[in-house]
Amino acid sequence: MKPDFRTFPTGRRLLVAGIAAAAVAAGTAGTALAAGHGDDDRPAKAPAVTADQAMGAALKAVPGTVGEADLDDGAWEIDVLTGGGAWHEVTIDASSARVTADRTGRGSDAAEAQGLKNTKVTAQQAAATALKAASGAVTSVELEHEGAQPAWEVEIAGKDGVQHELLVDGTGGTVTKNKAEHDDHGKKEDDGKHEDGKHDDGKHGDQDHDDD
């Protein structure tokens, strides 16, 4: 019996089949890539240990004044200036509030130390004030000592996907800036920024948002 060559795939059929297989593979890879990046832009989950609790734990281990608190990779990095003028970087576990490291001698920053002495508002008070203007979880508190007066820069990750960056006056303890970014898979809105550092109605927080 002679073979029926009509049933054999020709070069054209092989080419079409190859293209189809490549398209399926590319589609599968694209789906996997999209799934892998789907949550990358969303705010990190709020830590079990708040910024206030982490700063309290750091001050218990090293008495002094907090100059900076930053949440990084599951741990709080707290910079503490002691009464003797020494800087300590205390690491606090963000899930248990346990002190995991205490490093000294990170560098003598006289300007930052002086700014910290000049401010009448502590880092803890600045974080509490910022949370009244923007609800969420504080992820960073840092003293901005450059300029005429010191101020605290506080970053808050909102539960609704809004990232807030606030400035709290280091003397009066009032919010002078509330910049919000809506993180919605590439879409960004800047609806809380006031170039003059003032709010039109004297209020802060959610009322500044212009929801779509």
Side-chain angles (χ1 to χ4, degrees), residues 149-167:
Q149 293 183 345
W152 292 99
E153 181 180 276
V154 183
E155 294 182 2
I156 294 177
K159 297 178 181 179
D160 54 357
V162 180
Q163 300 289 334
H164 290 267
E165 183 180 296
L166 303 95
L167 279 183

Side-chain angles (χ1 to χ4, degrees), residues 76-135:
W76 285 100
E77 298 293 341
I78 314 292
D79 287 349
V80 178
L81 179 66
T82 66
W87 282 102
H88 286 246
E89 185 179 274
V90 185
T91 303
I92 305 295
D93 187 278
S95 60
S96 65
R98 183 172 59 90
V99 176
T100 59
D102 178 6
R103 294 176 290 275
T104 59
R106 72 172 180 86
S108 57
D109 191 332
E112 184 177 355
Q114 188 59 46
L116 195 58
K117 292 178 181 178
N118 291 340
T119 183
K120 297 180 180 179
V121 178
T122 66
Q124 299 95 311
Q125 291 171 337
T129 298
L131 284 173
K132 293 179 181 179
S135 60

